[in-house]
Amino acid sequence: MTSLRIISASDTSKSLDLNGNIPEEGQKIQIWPQNSTTAQVWVVNQHEGGSYSIQSGNEGDSGCGFFYATKQDQGEPVVYTRLAWLWNIKHVSDDEYRLQTEDGQYALTVTSDEDDTVMIDNVQENLDRQRWKFDPPLPGN
């Protein structure tokens, strides 16, 4: 289990963020300027077989939920939930990674450089908005 920040490789001033630091079912997960709050801390757990679960680092009464999309489909927004969803973390270059669904079809994606929405979208090998950095670095990668 590793606590870290998940930083957008397309804009390293922004991190994955639990909107308002409110751990409620369906709460938006967004990309937001780094602010050193627990809303931007994530706990990464590796499971048997090599997949990962990623939980909120928020430890309030409802804290430590996961992020996932309501359904595994292109364009689905990513939200907070109490349901575990497993991800593959694929090393794509130096210190950059792609967070992909277990079937490898979809990746965690920043919608655009002007928008704070995070969704899953079809894997696109060279799309910077699907690349992430970990701070501190993910052990073993």
Side-chain angles (χ1 to χ4, degrees):
M1 184 175 349
T2 303
S3 293
L4 47 76
R5 295 185 189 283
I6 301 174
I7 301 166
S8 171
S10 65
D11 182 348
T12 57
S13 71
K14 295 182 178 179
S15 291
L16 206 59
D17 180 278
L18 173 60
N19 186 29
N21 201 22
I22 301 169
E24 293 178 358
E25 193 74 26
Q27 184 71 359
K28 178 181 178 179
I29 304 297
Q30 62 190 0
I31 193 75
W32 201 253
Q34 293 188 44
N35 58 26
S36 301
T37 66
T38 57
Q40 295 182 350
V41 175
W42 301 92
V43 179
V44 178
N45 295 298
Q46 187 170 16
H47 297 273
E48 190 173 314
S51 60
Y52 294 82
S53 60
I54 302 173
Q55 296 175 265
S56 167
N58 181 312
E59 295 184 359
D61 294 337
S62 302
C64 291
F66 302 86
F67 67 80
Y68 90 128
T70 307
K71 59 183 179 179
Q72 191 166 312
D73 199 5
Q74 178 181 0
E76 282 298 307
V78 178
V79 296
Y80 179 93
T81 184
R82 301 297 275 163
L83 304 171
W85 210 27
L86 298 179
W87 297 86
N88 289 328
I89 298 177
K90 182 178 179 189
H91 184 245
V92 292
S93 70
D94 297 328
D95 60 346
E96 296 179 358
Y97 299 85
R98 185 179 307 110
L99 281 68
Q100 296 181 185
T101 54
E102 277 194 295
D103 66 5
Q105 184 175 357
Y106 302 106
L108 188 67
T109 308
V110 177
T111 305
S112 74
D113 293 333
E114 296 80 35
D115 192 354
D116 65 1
T117 302
V118 178
M119 66 178 181
I120 60 169
D121 203 357
N122 291 319
V123 168
Q124 298 175 47
E125 293 298 325
N126 296 312
L127 184 63
D128 285 344
R129 292 181 290 111
Q130 290 184 345
R131 293 176 179 230
W132 302 91
K133 297 178 178 229
F134 300 114
D135 181 28
L138 191 63
N141 285 294

